Amino acid sequence: MIVGVPRETFPGERRVALVPGALANLAKVGLEVLVEAGAGDEAGYPDADYAAKGAKIVSDRAELFRSADIIVQVLSPGANDKTGHADLALLRRDQILIGFLRPMGSAENLSAIASRGVTSFSVELIPRTTRAQSMDALSSMATVAGYKAVLIAADIVPKFFPMLTTAAGTITPARVLILGVGVAGLQAIATARRLGAVVSAYDLRPVVKEQVQSLGARFVELPIEAKDAQDARGYATAQDESFYRRQRELLGKVIAENDVVITTAVIPGKKAPILVTKEMVAGMAPRSVIIDLAAERGGNCELTRPGEKISEHGVTIVGWFNLASTVPYHASQMYARNLSTFLALLVKDGKLQLNLKDEILRDTLVTQGGEIVNPRLREFFSMPVLAAPAPLSEEETPK
Ligand SMILES: NC(=O)c1ccc[n+]([C@@H]2O[C@H](COP(=O)([O-])OP(=O)(O)OC[C@H]3O[C@@H](n4cnc5c(N)ncnc54)[C@H](O)[C@@H]3O)[C@@H](O)[C@H]2O)c1
Protein backbone atom coordinates (compact mmCIF):
# COMPACT_ATOMS: atom_id res chain seq x y z
CA MET A 1 0.00 0.00 0.00
CA ILE A 2 1.12 3.53 -0.69
CA VAL A 3 0.90 6.49 1.69
CA GLY A 4 1.00 9.92 0.06
CA VAL A 5 2.26 13.02 1.86
CA PRO A 6 1.12 16.16 0.03
CA ARG A 7 2.66 19.54 0.74
CA GLU A 8 0.46 21.50 3.17
CA THR A 9 -1.29 24.37 1.39
CA PHE A 10 -3.04 26.30 4.19
CA PRO A 11 -1.49 29.79 4.15
CA GLY A 12 1.40 29.96 6.62
CA GLU A 13 1.24 26.25 7.50
CA ARG A 14 4.79 24.96 7.98
CA ARG A 15 4.24 21.45 9.31
CA VAL A 16 4.34 18.21 7.32
CA ALA A 17 2.39 15.04 8.10
CA LEU A 18 5.29 12.54 8.04
CA VAL A 19 8.98 13.11 8.71
CA PRO A 20 11.83 10.96 7.33
CA GLY A 21 12.43 9.39 10.75
CA ALA A 22 8.92 7.87 10.71
CA LEU A 23 9.38 5.96 7.46
CA ALA A 24 11.20 2.92 8.89
CA ASN A 25 8.20 2.06 11.07
CA LEU A 26 5.86 2.41 8.10
CA ALA A 27 8.03 0.07 6.01
CA LYS A 28 7.66 -2.51 8.79
CA VAL A 29 3.88 -2.65 8.26
CA GLY A 30 4.34 -2.81 4.49
CA LEU A 31 3.73 0.82 3.57
CA GLU A 32 5.58 2.64 0.81
CA VAL A 33 5.72 6.43 0.99
CA LEU A 34 5.29 9.08 -1.71
CA VAL A 35 6.16 12.64 -0.78
CA GLU A 36 5.26 15.73 -2.76
CA ALA A 37 8.44 17.64 -3.60
CA GLY A 38 9.18 20.27 -0.99
CA ALA A 39 6.55 18.96 1.48
CA GLY A 40 8.99 19.00 4.41
CA ASP A 41 11.02 22.07 3.43
CA GLU A 42 9.36 24.55 5.78
CA ALA A 43 9.64 22.16 8.71
CA GLY A 44 13.34 21.48 8.09
CA TYR A 45 13.07 18.11 6.31
CA PRO A 46 14.49 18.31 2.75
CA ASP A 47 13.37 15.91 0.00
CA ALA A 48 16.79 14.21 0.07
CA ASP A 49 16.20 13.09 3.67
CA TYR A 50 12.92 11.41 2.71
CA ALA A 51 14.55 9.82 -0.34
CA ALA A 52 17.41 8.53 1.84
CA LYS A 53 14.80 6.72 3.96
CA GLY A 54 13.24 5.09 0.90
CA ALA A 55 10.46 7.55 -0.06
CA LYS A 56 9.71 8.44 -3.64
CA ILE A 57 9.50 12.18 -4.35
CA VAL A 58 6.72 13.29 -6.70
CA SER A 59 6.52 16.79 -8.09
CA ASP A 60 2.96 16.56 -9.46
CA ARG A 61 0.41 16.86 -6.63
CA ALA A 62 -2.40 15.32 -8.72
CA GLU A 63 -0.20 12.32 -9.47
CA LEU A 64 0.50 11.87 -5.77
CA PHE A 65 -3.23 11.83 -5.00
CA ARG A 66 -3.79 9.39 -7.92
CA SER A 67 -1.08 6.97 -6.84
CA ALA A 68 -1.64 6.88 -3.08
CA ASP A 69 -4.04 4.53 -1.31
CA ILE A 70 -3.82 6.63 1.84
CA ILE A 71 -3.38 10.41 2.01
CA VAL A 72 -1.99 11.82 5.25
CA GLN A 73 -2.17 15.53 5.95
CA VAL A 74 -1.87 17.96 8.81
CA LEU A 75 -4.74 20.25 7.80
CA SER A 76 -7.15 18.27 5.61
CA PRO A 77 -10.26 19.70 3.92
CA GLY A 78 -12.43 20.81 6.81
CA ALA A 79 -9.59 22.04 9.02
CA ASN A 80 -8.05 23.69 5.97
CA ASP A 81 -10.92 26.06 5.21
CA LYS A 82 -8.84 28.21 2.88
CA THR A 83 -7.35 25.91 0.23
CA GLY A 84 -8.56 22.46 1.29
CA HIS A 85 -11.44 22.40 -1.20
CA ALA A 86 -8.91 22.09 -4.06
CA ASP A 87 -7.85 18.71 -2.66
CA LEU A 88 -11.43 17.42 -2.55
CA ALA A 89 -11.42 17.17 -6.33
CA LEU A 90 -8.23 15.09 -6.19
CA LEU A 91 -9.58 12.54 -3.70
CA ARG A 92 -11.23 9.40 -5.02
CA ARG A 93 -13.73 6.81 -3.84
CA ASP A 94 -12.47 4.49 -1.09
CA GLN A 95 -9.20 6.35 -0.82
CA ILE A 96 -8.22 6.84 2.81
CA LEU A 97 -7.72 10.31 4.22
CA ILE A 98 -6.20 10.93 7.64
CA GLY A 99 -5.67 14.36 9.19
CA PHE A 100 -7.18 17.22 11.16
CA LEU A 101 -10.69 17.52 9.68
CA ARG A 102 -12.23 19.85 12.32
CA PRO A 103 -15.07 17.35 12.69
CA MET A 104 -17.31 19.54 14.82
CA GLY A 105 -16.74 22.56 12.59
CA SER A 106 -19.48 22.23 10.00
CA ALA A 107 -21.70 19.47 8.65
CA GLU A 108 -21.30 20.97 5.15
CA ASN A 109 -17.54 20.42 5.20
CA LEU A 110 -17.96 16.84 6.33
CA SER A 111 -20.64 16.23 3.71
CA ALA A 112 -18.28 17.58 1.05
CA ILE A 113 -15.64 15.05 2.14
CA ALA A 114 -18.25 12.28 2.29
CA SER A 115 -19.46 13.14 -1.20
CA ARG A 116 -16.07 12.10 -2.61
CA GLY A 117 -16.65 8.57 -1.26
CA VAL A 118 -13.47 8.87 0.81
CA THR A 119 -12.88 6.82 3.96
CA SER A 120 -11.74 9.63 6.23
CA PHE A 121 -10.33 9.59 9.75
CA SER A 122 -10.17 12.65 11.97
CA VAL A 123 -7.23 12.76 14.36
CA GLU A 124 -9.20 15.12 16.62
CA LEU A 125 -11.43 12.16 17.52
CA ILE A 126 -8.66 9.85 18.74
CA PRO A 127 -9.88 8.71 22.17
CA ARG A 128 -8.00 9.96 25.24
CA THR A 129 -7.21 6.43 26.41
CA THR A 130 -3.91 4.90 27.47
CA ARG A 131 -3.86 2.66 24.39
CA ALA A 132 -4.35 5.62 22.05
CA GLN A 133 -1.92 7.94 23.85
CA SER A 134 0.85 7.60 21.27
CA MET A 135 -1.62 8.59 18.52
CA ASP A 136 -3.05 11.61 20.34
CA ALA A 137 -2.34 14.40 17.89
CA LEU A 138 -4.44 16.96 19.79
CA SER A 139 -2.21 16.49 22.82
CA SER A 140 0.94 16.76 20.70
CA MET A 141 -0.15 20.03 19.12
CA ALA A 142 -1.48 21.41 22.42
CA THR A 143 1.94 20.73 23.96
CA VAL A 144 3.59 22.81 21.24
CA ALA A 145 1.01 25.61 21.52
CA GLY A 146 1.33 25.83 25.31
CA TYR A 147 5.11 26.11 25.04
CA LYS A 148 5.01 28.70 22.28
CA ALA A 149 2.36 30.82 24.02
CA VAL A 150 4.79 31.42 26.88
CA LEU A 151 7.62 32.38 24.53
CA ILE A 152 5.38 34.86 22.72
CA ALA A 153 4.30 36.40 26.02
CA ALA A 154 7.91 36.60 27.26
CA ASP A 155 8.87 38.35 24.06
CA ILE A 156 6.09 40.96 24.30
CA VAL A 157 5.97 41.73 28.02
CA PRO A 158 8.45 44.50 28.90
CA LYS A 159 9.82 42.53 31.84
CA PHE A 160 12.18 39.68 32.63
CA PHE A 161 10.49 36.42 33.56
CA PRO A 162 13.05 35.30 36.18
CA MET A 163 14.06 36.94 39.40
CA LEU A 164 17.54 38.41 38.95
CA THR A 165 19.94 39.66 41.54
CA THR A 166 22.33 42.02 39.81
CA ALA A 167 24.71 44.81 40.66
CA ALA A 168 22.03 47.10 39.29
CA GLY A 169 19.51 45.84 41.81
CA THR A 170 17.07 42.99 42.24
CA ILE A 171 14.53 42.23 39.55
CA THR A 172 11.25 40.72 40.75
CA PRO A 173 9.98 37.80 38.65
CA ALA A 174 7.08 38.17 36.23
CA ARG A 175 3.72 36.79 37.34
CA VAL A 176 1.99 34.43 34.93
CA LEU A 177 -1.56 33.10 35.24
CA ILE A 178 -2.77 30.11 33.22
CA LEU A 179 -6.54 29.71 32.84
CA GLY A 180 -7.51 26.18 31.77
CA VAL A 181 -5.11 23.42 32.70
CA GLY A 182 -5.43 20.76 30.00
CA VAL A 183 -2.45 19.66 27.94
CA ALA A 184 -1.62 23.16 26.62
CA GLY A 185 -2.06 24.75 30.05
CA LEU A 186 0.23 22.22 31.73
CA GLN A 187 2.94 22.79 29.13
CA ALA A 188 2.54 26.56 29.54
CA ILE A 189 3.00 26.21 33.31
CA ALA A 190 6.12 24.08 32.86
CA THR A 191 7.62 26.48 30.30
CA ALA A 192 6.90 29.63 32.33
CA ARG A 193 8.37 27.97 35.42
CA ARG A 194 11.54 27.06 33.51
CA LEU A 195 11.87 30.71 32.57
CA GLY A 196 11.64 31.59 36.23
CA ALA A 197 8.22 33.25 36.41
CA VAL A 198 5.92 32.99 39.42
CA VAL A 199 3.08 30.91 38.00
CA SER A 200 -0.46 30.28 39.16
CA ALA A 201 -3.21 28.40 37.37
CA TYR A 202 -6.93 27.81 37.54
CA ASP A 203 -9.24 25.23 36.04
CA LEU A 204 -12.84 24.39 36.80
CA ARG A 205 -11.79 20.73 37.12
CA PRO A 206 -10.45 20.45 40.68
CA VAL A 207 -8.60 17.21 39.78
CA VAL A 208 -5.83 19.23 38.11
CA LYS A 209 -4.80 20.91 41.39
CA GLU A 210 -2.12 18.31 42.14
CA GLN A 211 -0.71 18.44 38.60
CA VAL A 212 -0.44 22.24 38.87
CA GLN A 213 1.34 22.02 42.20
CA SER A 214 3.70 19.29 41.01
CA LEU A 215 4.92 21.70 38.32
CA GLY A 216 5.77 24.29 40.96
CA ALA A 217 2.77 26.55 40.35
CA ARG A 218 0.04 27.70 42.73
CA PHE A 219 -3.48 26.43 42.12
CA VAL A 220 -5.99 29.26 42.30
CA GLU A 221 -8.95 28.11 44.38
CA LEU A 222 -12.19 29.98 43.73
CA PRO A 223 -15.14 29.62 46.12
CA ILE A 224 -17.30 28.19 43.37
CA GLU A 225 -17.82 24.59 42.36
CA ALA A 226 -18.56 23.37 38.85
CA LYS A 227 -21.40 20.87 38.54
CA ASP A 228 -20.08 17.51 37.19
CA ALA A 229 -16.86 19.33 36.27
CA GLN A 230 -15.64 16.69 33.83
CA ASP A 231 -17.19 14.02 31.64
CA ALA A 232 -16.14 10.37 31.34
CA ARG A 233 -13.51 11.30 28.75
CA GLY A 234 -11.88 13.83 31.09
CA TYR A 235 -13.15 16.91 29.22
CA ALA A 236 -14.68 19.83 31.10
CA THR A 237 -18.46 20.01 30.87
CA ALA A 238 -20.32 23.15 29.85
CA GLN A 239 -21.68 25.15 32.81
CA ASP A 240 -24.66 27.47 32.99
CA GLU A 241 -24.37 31.24 32.55
CA SER A 242 -24.69 31.91 36.30
CA PHE A 243 -21.54 29.80 36.88
CA TYR A 244 -19.60 31.69 34.24
CA ARG A 245 -20.79 35.04 35.65
CA ARG A 246 -19.67 34.13 39.17
CA GLN A 247 -16.40 32.75 37.78
CA ARG A 248 -15.68 36.07 36.06
CA GLU A 249 -16.48 38.05 39.22
CA LEU A 250 -14.01 35.95 41.19
CA LEU A 251 -11.29 35.93 38.53
CA GLY A 252 -11.14 39.73 38.14
CA LYS A 253 -8.81 40.32 41.12
CA VAL A 254 -6.57 37.34 40.27
CA ILE A 255 -6.13 38.53 36.69
CA ALA A 256 -5.22 42.08 37.77
CA GLU A 257 -2.29 40.70 39.81
CA ASN A 258 -0.57 39.14 36.79
CA ASP A 259 1.70 40.43 34.02
CA VAL A 260 0.79 37.61 31.66
CA VAL A 261 -2.45 35.65 31.31
CA ILE A 262 -2.52 32.59 29.05
CA THR A 263 -6.02 31.24 28.45
CA THR A 264 -6.74 27.76 27.11
CA ALA A 265 -10.27 27.03 28.36
CA VAL A 266 -12.46 25.15 25.90
CA ILE A 267 -15.36 22.70 25.90
CA PRO A 268 -15.48 20.26 22.97
CA GLY A 269 -17.90 21.40 20.27
CA LYS A 270 -18.81 24.64 22.05
CA LYS A 271 -17.82 28.26 21.80
CA ALA A 272 -15.06 29.03 24.33
CA PRO A 273 -16.32 30.53 27.63
CA ILE A 274 -15.50 34.19 28.32
CA LEU A 275 -13.24 34.29 31.37
CA VAL A 276 -11.64 37.71 30.85
CA THR A 277 -14.00 40.64 30.28
CA LYS A 278 -13.09 44.03 28.86
CA GLU A 279 -13.34 45.50 32.39
CA MET A 280 -10.76 42.95 33.57
CA VAL A 281 -8.45 43.92 30.72
CA ALA A 282 -8.83 47.57 31.73
CA GLY A 283 -7.94 46.56 35.30
CA MET A 284 -4.60 44.99 34.29
CA ALA A 285 -1.36 46.93 34.56
CA PRO A 286 -0.38 48.68 31.32
CA ARG A 287 1.85 46.54 29.05
CA SER A 288 0.44 43.29 30.43
CA VAL A 289 -0.11 40.50 27.92
CA ILE A 290 -2.94 38.05 27.25
CA ILE A 291 -2.30 35.07 24.98
CA ASP A 292 -5.67 33.57 24.07
CA LEU A 293 -5.13 30.00 22.89
CA ALA A 294 -8.91 29.59 22.65
CA ALA A 295 -9.08 32.30 19.95
CA GLU A 296 -9.96 29.83 17.20
CA ARG A 297 -13.06 28.89 19.20
CA GLY A 298 -14.09 32.51 19.77
CA GLY A 299 -11.62 33.27 22.58
CA ASN A 300 -11.62 33.34 26.39
CA CYS A 301 -11.11 37.11 26.42
CA GLU A 302 -13.99 39.35 25.41
CA LEU A 303 -11.63 41.63 23.47
CA THR A 304 -9.69 38.93 21.58
CA ARG A 305 -9.75 39.37 17.84
CA PRO A 306 -9.31 35.83 16.48
CA GLY A 307 -6.16 35.59 14.36
CA GLU A 308 -4.86 39.02 15.41
CA LYS A 309 -2.59 40.76 17.90
CA ILE A 310 -4.17 43.92 19.27
CA SER A 311 -3.64 46.42 22.04
CA GLU A 312 -6.53 47.52 24.29
CA HIS A 313 -6.21 49.66 27.45
CA GLY A 314 -2.42 49.28 27.00
CA VAL A 315 -2.70 45.47 27.20
CA THR A 316 -1.53 43.33 24.28
CA ILE A 317 -4.00 40.58 23.40
CA VAL A 318 -2.74 37.85 21.07
CA GLY A 319 -5.37 35.69 19.34
CA TRP A 320 -3.15 33.95 16.82
CA PHE A 321 -4.19 30.52 15.56
CA ASN A 322 -2.24 27.42 14.88
CA LEU A 323 0.79 28.09 17.08
CA ALA A 324 1.95 24.50 16.59
CA SER A 325 2.86 25.44 13.04
CA THR A 326 5.42 27.93 14.38
CA VAL A 327 7.56 25.10 15.84
CA PRO A 328 7.25 22.99 12.69
CA TYR A 329 10.25 20.68 13.07
CA HIS A 330 9.20 19.16 16.37
CA ALA A 331 5.47 19.59 15.82
CA SER A 332 5.84 17.53 12.61
CA GLN A 333 8.01 14.96 14.35
CA MET A 334 5.38 14.49 17.06
CA TYR A 335 2.50 14.41 14.59
CA ALA A 336 4.37 11.92 12.37
CA ARG A 337 4.82 9.63 15.38
CA ASN A 338 1.09 9.92 16.13
CA LEU A 339 0.20 9.14 12.51
CA SER A 340 2.61 6.25 12.08
CA THR A 341 1.23 4.57 15.22
CA PHE A 342 -2.28 5.07 13.85
CA LEU A 343 -1.24 3.70 10.44
CA ALA A 344 0.24 0.62 12.10
CA LEU A 345 -3.23 -0.03 13.51
CA LEU A 346 -4.89 0.40 10.15
CA VAL A 347 -2.44 -1.54 7.97
CA LYS A 348 -0.94 -5.00 8.57
CA ASP A 349 1.47 -6.70 6.17
CA GLY A 350 0.75 -4.09 3.50
CA LYS A 351 -3.03 -4.69 3.68
CA LEU A 352 -5.77 -2.49 5.01
CA GLN A 353 -7.35 -3.82 8.24
CA LEU A 354 -10.38 -1.64 8.69
CA ASN A 355 -11.49 -3.36 11.88
CA LEU A 356 -14.37 -1.20 13.01
CA LYS A 357 -14.68 -3.22 16.16
CA ASP A 358 -11.54 -1.44 17.30
CA GLU A 359 -12.53 1.56 19.41
CA ILE A 360 -9.77 3.82 18.04
CA LEU A 361 -10.66 3.23 14.38
CA ARG A 362 -14.39 3.36 15.07
CA ASP A 363 -14.20 6.63 17.02
CA THR A 364 -12.04 8.38 14.43
CA LEU A 365 -13.78 7.19 11.27
CA VAL A 366 -15.79 10.13 9.93
CA THR A 367 -16.91 9.30 6.38
CA GLN A 368 -17.19 6.08 4.40
CA GLY A 369 -19.02 5.03 1.24
CA GLY A 370 -20.42 8.53 0.67
CA GLU A 371 -21.89 8.97 4.18
CA ILE A 372 -20.90 10.66 7.45
CA VAL A 373 -20.79 7.44 9.48
CA ASN A 374 -19.49 8.63 12.86
CA PRO A 375 -22.34 8.23 15.40
CA ARG A 376 -21.03 10.98 17.71
CA LEU A 377 -20.87 13.46 14.84
CA ARG A 378 -24.27 12.41 13.50
CA GLU A 379 -25.73 13.10 16.93
CA PHE A 380 -23.83 16.39 17.19
CA PHE A 381 -25.23 17.55 13.84
CA SER A 382 -28.73 16.12 14.63
CA MET A 383 -28.54 13.59 11.78
CA PRO A 384 -30.54 10.34 11.90
CA VAL A 385 -28.79 7.36 13.48
CA LEU A 386 -27.11 4.77 11.22
CA ALA A 387 -26.93 1.06 12.13
CA ALA A 388 -24.09 0.59 14.66
CA PRO A 389 -21.29 -1.97 14.21
CA ALA A 390 -21.52 -5.08 16.42
CA PRO A 391 -19.94 -4.74 19.88
CA LEU A 392 -16.51 -6.28 20.54
CA SER A 393 -16.33 -9.88 21.63
CA GLU A 394 -13.81 -10.88 24.33
CA GLU A 395 -11.24 -12.24 21.83
CA GLU A 396 -11.58 -9.25 19.51
CA THR A 397 -10.95 -6.64 22.19
CA PRO A 398 -7.60 -5.02 21.34
CA LYS A 399 -5.05 -5.63 24.10
N1 LIG B 1 -4.40 9.84 26.98
C1 LIG B 1 -4.91 10.48 27.99
O1 LIG B 1 -5.26 9.92 29.00
C2 LIG B 1 -5.13 11.95 27.86
C3 LIG B 1 -4.44 12.66 26.88
C4 LIG B 1 -4.67 14.03 26.75
C5 LIG B 1 -5.59 14.66 27.58
N2 LIG B 1 -6.22 13.95 28.53
C6 LIG B 1 -7.21 14.59 29.39
O2 LIG B 1 -8.23 15.08 28.57
C7 LIG B 1 -8.78 16.25 29.15
C8 LIG B 1 -8.83 17.37 28.17
O3 LIG B 1 -7.53 17.87 27.89
P1 LIG B 1 -7.36 18.97 26.78
O4 LIG B 1 -6.00 19.51 26.86
O5 LIG B 1 -7.83 18.47 25.47
O6 LIG B 1 -8.37 20.07 27.31
P2 LIG B 1 -9.23 21.08 26.44
O7 LIG B 1 -8.35 21.67 25.39
O8 LIG B 1 -10.51 20.45 26.07
O9 LIG B 1 -9.56 22.20 27.54
C9 LIG B 1 -8.51 22.92 28.17
C10 LIG B 1 -8.83 23.11 29.63
O10 LIG B 1 -9.82 24.12 29.79
C11 LIG B 1 -10.53 23.82 30.96
N3 LIG B 1 -11.77 24.62 31.03
C12 LIG B 1 -12.88 24.54 30.25
N4 LIG B 1 -13.79 25.46 30.64
C13 LIG B 1 -13.23 26.16 31.67
C14 LIG B 1 -13.67 27.24 32.49
N5 LIG B 1 -14.86 27.80 32.31
N6 LIG B 1 -12.82 27.68 33.44
C15 LIG B 1 -11.61 27.11 33.62
N7 LIG B 1 -11.14 26.10 32.89
C16 LIG B 1 -11.95 25.62 31.93
C17 LIG B 1 -10.73 22.34 30.85
O11 LIG B 1 -11.07 21.77 32.12
C18 LIG B 1 -9.37 21.87 30.34
O12 LIG B 1 -8.50 21.53 31.40
C19 LIG B 1 -7.97 16.50 30.39
O13 LIG B 1 -8.61 15.86 31.45
C20 LIG B 1 -6.67 15.80 30.10
O14 LIG B 1 -5.96 15.46 31.26
C21 LIG B 1 -6.02 12.60 28.68
Side-chain angles (χ1 to χ4, degrees):
M1 292 199 88
I2 298 176
V3 184
V5 186
R7 200 170 41 77
E8 294 294 311
T9 58
F10 186 83
E13 178 55 63
R14 296 169 64 198
R15 290 167 292 177
V16 60
L18 288 179
V19 302
L23 303 198
N25 279 341
L26 298 183
K28 278 189 206 148
V29 295
L31 284 167
E32 290 170 44
V33 178
L34 289 188
V35 178
E36 185 178 352
D41 279 355
E42 287 286 322
Y45 301 100
D47 290 347
D49 290 8
Y50 288 97
K53 297 285 181 192
K56 197 172 146 205
I57 311 297
V58 184
S59 51
D60 180 357
R61 187 176 183 87
E63 185 195 328
L64 179 121
F65 273 80
R66 251 194 323 274
S67 310
D69 305 292
I70 302 173
I71 295 288
V72 288
Q73 291 182 306
V74 183
L75 300 183
S76 294
N80 178 355
D81 54 8
K82 296 266 190 305
T83 55
H85 56 273
D87 287 341
L88 281 179
L90 300 176
L91 290 164
R92 58 183 155 71
R93 195 165 182 86
D94 296 332
Q95 194 168 31
I96 292 179
L97 174 70
I98 309 169
F100 281 92
L101 301 183
R102 199 177 296 155
M104 291 179 173
S106 93
E108 288 72 38
N109 280 337
L110 296 188
S111 299
I113 298 170
S115 71
R116 300 299 302 164
V118 186
T119 302
S120 65
F121 293 90
S122 156
V123 296
E124 290 98 326
L125 299 177
I126 286 172
R128 254 67 197 277
T129 57
T130 309
R131 185 172 157 257
Q133 223 160 8
S134 54
M135 308 173 204
D136 185 351
L138 271 186
S139 287
S140 299
M141 297 306 114
T143 299
V144 184
Y147 161 83
K148 195 59 190 272
V150 173
L151 299 194
I152 293 169
D155 193 32
I156 296 172
V157 81
K159 292 188 171 184
F160 278 120
F161 262 34
M163 187 181 101
L164 295 179
T165 310
T166 78
T170 300
I171 307 284
T172 52
R175 300 178 64 89
V176 175
L177 172 68
I178 314 290
L179 296 178
V181 189
V183 181
L186 285 171
Q187 189 54 235
I189 294 173
T191 308
R193 287 286 303 135
R194 282 185 201 118
L195 285 178
V198 171
V199 184
S200 52
Y202 164 75
D203 196 294
L204 59 66
R205 293 182 300 119
V207 293
V208 299
K209 178 177 173 178
E210 260 177 45
Q211 297 168 34
V212 168
Q213 290 172 337
S214 72
L215 289 170
R218 184 175 68 86
F219 186 69
V220 175
E221 311 238 22
L222 299 183
I224 176 176
E225 213 173 288
K227 199 162 160 279
D228 303 325
Q230 69 177 37
D231 65 16
R233 290 174 301 135
Y235 286 108
T237 47
Q239 303 294 311
D240 59 19
E241 193 39 46
S242 68
F243 176 89
Y244 290 130
R245 201 177 323 117
R246 181 84 183 113
Q247 202 181 32
R248 285 193 289 267
E249 282 164 20
L250 295 165
L251 277 174
K253 188 167 168 289
V254 185
I255 286 169
E257 289 165 354
N258 283 277
D259 303 298
V260 169
V261 177
I262 295 176
T263 67
T264 79
V266 292
I267 308 279
K270 298 245 180 331
K271 194 177 170 299
I274 295 290
L275 304 180
V276 185
T277 60
K278 51 179 183 289
E279 291 77 21
M280 293 183 205
V281 174
M284 292 178 83
R287 305 295 150 215
S288 301
V289 177
I290 297 172
I291 311 287
D292 193 341
L293 288 184
E296 208 163 351
R297 307 270 284 277
N300 291 139
C301 172
E302 196 179 1
L303 295 176
T304 295
R305 271 202 232 128
E308 293 182 31
K309 176 173 116 177
I310 58 164
S311 178
E312 292 279 353
H313 306 289
V315 175
T316 304
I317 305 169
V318 177
W320 291 332
F321 300 160
N322 209 6
L323 290 192
S325 176
T326 65
V327 191
Y329 185 90
H330 281 130
S332 302
Q333 181 183 312
M334 293 167 87
Y335 185 58
R337 168 62 72 87
N338 298 145
L339 280 187
S340 47
T341 319
F342 185 83
L343 283 165
L345 190 68
L346 192 61
V347 177
K348 299 257 162 6
D349 301 325
K351 293 205 179 60
L352 190 67
Q353 304 273 318
L354 195 47
N355 173 16
L356 290 185
K357 291 178 181 169
D358 184 309
E359 174 206 32
I360 300 174
L361 296 179
R362 196 176 57 224
D363 282 8
T364 48
L365 178 68
V366 174
T367 68
Q368 191 180 31
E371 289 258 35
I372 299 170
V373 294
N374 187 294
R376 194 173 143 210
L377 295 177
R378 291 190 72 89
E379 188 188 336
F380 183 75
F381 290 118
S382 309
M383 299 167 87
V385 178
L386 290 177
L392 285 181
S393 71
E394 183 88 357
E395 310 80 70
E396 287 167 329
T397 307
K399 301 286 182 289

